[in-house]
């Protein structure tokens, strides 16, 4: 009798056990779902961070591009470049011509003379670059013409109307000094009395020829007895620093020669 009752009680407990097992499985299932959701949230967060970094990088690249464009535009504005030269040189207000091979440092020298401070130029002059320099007594108008092959055809055209010639050479570029000499002598050969001021530039470089070497390499002793010839060693080093005394002396001399030629 007692055994029968015990069996009956055990039988009654079975549904409860099944119910408890069902609850346990459901709880485990919920944990799995929550775990899966948690992983998905972590992945989504990682994706969001990656998108944020990519967006930040993109904005930085755009900012760099804008800064580069602004710098390039500023450089062009500083150079006052005229991409298309006038058909004829101006009759009035004769200019001081600044010529020389490409890479000699003409623009850097010219802007440094104008500002009385070292002003580097990294962009080559593609065309014409007009700069006015004021002194205590007068205003000088300089015209630089690009030194690369396409622009050399304009050199002689403007030389006939120039007050004087400033010719810039790279003292450290030994291989191109013969080329510079050839073009210089071709230019001055058309005008036997035009004053000549030569800037032996980049004197700060270790490989630079000294003044006496430049004088010989350019054969300046052969430019004519009736011509005023001057040779200055120049350098444009630390940006923003005051120009060397030699460049100040050269500027004063150019102003004096220009006044005499007008």
């Amino acid at each position: 009798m007692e055994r029968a009752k015990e069996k009956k009680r055990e039988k009654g407990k079975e549904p409860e056990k099944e119910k408890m097992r069902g609850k346990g499985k459901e709880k485990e299932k919920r944990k799995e779902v929550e775990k899966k959701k948690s992983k998905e949230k972590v992945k989504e967060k990682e994706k969001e961070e990656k998108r944020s970094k990519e967006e930040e990088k993109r904005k930085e690249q755009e900012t760099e591009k804008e800064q580069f464009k602004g710098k390039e535009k500023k450089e062009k504005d500083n150079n006052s470049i005229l991409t298309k030269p006038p058909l004829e040189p101006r009759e009035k207000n004769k200019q001081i011509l600044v010529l020389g091979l490409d890479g000699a440092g003409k623009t850097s020298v010219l802007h440094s003379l104008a500002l009385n401070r070292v002003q580097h130029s990294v962009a080559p002059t593609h065309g014409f670059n007009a700069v006015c320099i004021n002194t205590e007594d007068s205003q000088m108008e300089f015209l630089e013409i690009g030194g690369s092959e396409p622009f050399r055809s304009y050199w002689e055209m403007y030389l006939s109307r120039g007050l004087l010639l400033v010719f810039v050479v790279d003292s450290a570029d030994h291989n191109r000094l013969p080329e510079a000499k050839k073009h210089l002598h071709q230019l001055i050969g058309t005008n036997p009395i035009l004053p000549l001021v030569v800037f032996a530039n980049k004197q700060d470089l270790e490989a630079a020829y000294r003044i006496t070497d430049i004088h010989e390499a350019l054969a300046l002793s052969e430019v004519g007895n009736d011509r005023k010839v001057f040779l200055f060693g120049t350098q444009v080093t630390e940006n923003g620093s005051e120009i060397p005394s030699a460049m100040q002396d050269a500027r004063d001399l150019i102003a004096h020669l220009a006044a005499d030629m007008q």
Side-chain angles (χ1 to χ4, degrees):
M1 188 73 174
E2 287 296 327
R3 192 179 295 170
K5 285 180 180 180
E6 185 65 28
K7 285 183 178 180
K8 190 175 180 181
R9 279 196 298 270
E10 288 293 330
K11 193 175 181 181
K13 286 180 180 179
E14 285 180 1
E16 289 181 6
K17 288 181 180 179
E18 289 295 329
K19 190 176 180 181
M20 290 297 290
R21 280 197 292 268
K23 285 183 178 179
K25 288 181 179 180
E26 188 177 343
K27 191 175 181 181
E28 288 179 2
K29 190 175 181 180
R30 280 200 302 270
K31 282 184 179 179
E32 288 293 329
V33 171
E34 288 175 1
K35 191 176 181 181
K36 188 176 180 181
K37 285 183 178 179
S38 177
K39 286 183 178 179
E40 288 177 351
K41 283 182 180 179
V42 171
K43 287 182 179 179
E44 187 63 33
K45 188 176 180 182
E46 289 176 350
K47 286 181 181 179
E48 185 63 32
E49 288 178 352
K50 187 177 180 181
R51 282 196 294 267
S52 178
K53 287 181 180 179
E54 287 177 350
E55 180 66 19
E56 188 176 340
K57 187 176 181 181
R58 185 185 64 80
K59 286 181 179 179
E60 286 179 358
Q61 288 175 341
E62 287 181 354
T63 302
E64 288 175 357
K65 284 181 182 178
E66 289 299 321
Q67 288 175 346
F68 178 78
K69 286 180 181 177
K71 186 177 180 181
E72 193 177 42
K73 183 177 183 298
K74 185 178 179 181
E75 184 70 34
K76 287 183 179 180
D77 291 342
N78 285 340
N79 284 352
S80 306
I81 293 172
L82 306 176
T83 54
K84 292 184 179 180
L87 294 177
E88 291 291 336
R90 287 187 287 179
E91 291 284 351
K92 297 179 181 179
N93 298 327
K94 286 190 172 183
Q95 296 159 314
I96 298 163
L97 293 179
V98 181
L99 305 178
L101 301 182
D102 50 300
K106 298 184 295 299
T107 306
S108 295
V109 167
L110 189 52
H111 284 156
S112 297
L113 289 174
L115 299 171
N116 203 34
R117 293 279 171 186
V118 174
Q119 177 65 49
H120 290 292
S121 174
V122 295
T125 299
H126 294 297
F128 285 48
N129 174 24
V131 175
C132 286
I133 296 180
N134 294 314
T135 64
E136 292 181 0
D137 303 320
S138 63
Q139 182 184 72
M140 297 180 289
E141 187 173 347
F142 290 77
L143 181 65
E144 175 198 352
I145 305 178
S148 56
E149 192 69 40
F151 304 108
R152 293 175 195 168
S153 59
Y154 294 104
W155 287 6
E156 286 190 21
M157 180 192 298
Y158 281 80
L159 190 70
S160 62
R161 310 289 173 88
L163 283 171
L164 61 100
L165 170 62
V166 175
F167 197 82
V168 184
V169 297
D170 183 344
S171 303
D173 194 353
H174 305 164
N175 293 333
R176 299 188 76 191
L177 284 173
E179 184 183 5
K181 171 191 170 184
K182 182 187 76 172
H183 287 291
L184 173 61
H185 282 260
Q186 285 177 349
L187 284 167
I188 60 180
T190 62
N191 189 327
I193 62 170
L194 186 72
L196 171 64
V197 178
V198 177
F199 281 175
N201 197 28
K202 306 185 184 181
Q203 285 288 301
D204 54 307
L205 298 181
E206 188 177 348
Y209 277 168
R210 301 302 115 192
I211 296 297
T212 52
D213 298 323
I214 295 295
H215 189 281
E216 184 179 347
L218 297 179
L220 294 182
S221 58
E222 301 173 11
V223 298
N225 296 327
D226 297 329
R227 190 190 313 278
K228 294 178 181 179
V229 182
F230 303 89
L231 174 60
F232 291 90
T234 58
Q235 61 188 54
V236 179
T237 52
E238 186 178 350
N239 211 28
S241 62
E242 188 175 356
I243 61 174
S245 57
M247 292 184 73
Q248 296 177 18
D249 293 342
R251 183 179 56 198
D252 294 341
L253 173 68
I254 291 169
H256 179 72
L257 291 173
D260 286 347
M261 293 297 291
Q262 285 178 333

